Amino acid sequence: MSTVVRHRPVVASGADTVGRTYQMRCTCGRTGDVHQVRSLARMDLERHITTLPLVPARQQCRDPQRHDCREWEPCALCEGQEPLFTLTGPTGEETA
C-alpha cells in the first residue's frame, strides 16, 4: 500500500501593515497567495481541491465521518473491500 498524502486545506487569517489577510494552507504543504478578501482565498482552496486526482472507486470511503476521510482522499480502511451486499430496485439498477 502506498503512503497517503492528506489534504486538509483551510483558509487561515493573519494581518499585515494594510490589515487583515487570508491565505489557503493545506496539510500537504501547498499554500495560496495572500489576499485581503476571504473569498479569494476560498477560491484558492476550491482550486486546490479540484486539481487533486480523482480517487479510484476501490479506494473511496464508504463511511467518511467515522473514518475521518474527505471525498478527495483515498480511504485506507475501505480500500479494496467489496460491499457486503447489493440491492436491486424494480428497474434493475443497483441501490445502496
Side-chain angles (χ1 to χ4, degrees):
M1 185 181 342
S2 63
T3 303
V4 175
V5 176
R6 293 180 72 115
H7 293 274
R8 300 296 168 95
V10 296
V11 173
S13 63
D16 64 7
T17 57
V18 178
R20 190 150 251 4
T21 60
Y22 302 94
Q23 182 183 35
M24 183 281 295
R25 295 183 187 154
C26 185
T27 55
C28 71
R30 186 121 188 236
T31 59
D33 294 332
V34 175
H35 299 284
Q36 300 296 319
V37 181
R38 180 186 299 265
S39 62
L40 294 176
R42 182 75 187 161
M43 286 172 53
D44 289 345
L45 184 146
E46 295 296 330
R47 190 174 312 117
H48 176 60
I49 291 171
T50 58
T51 61
L52 297 174
L54 294 176
V55 177
R58 66 181 183 79
Q59 293 178 333
Q60 291 176 354
C61 188
R62 293 191 183 102
D63 196 350
Q65 189 170 8
R66 276 193 183 158
H67 297 170
D68 189 30
C69 193
R70 306 299 189 266
E71 62 189 47
W72 55 83
E73 296 175 326
C75 180
L77 297 171
C78 293
E79 183 176 355
Q81 291 184 5
E82 296 296 325
L84 294 176
F85 60 89
T86 58
L87 302 174
T88 55
T91 61
E93 294 180 12
E94 284 190 12
T95 60

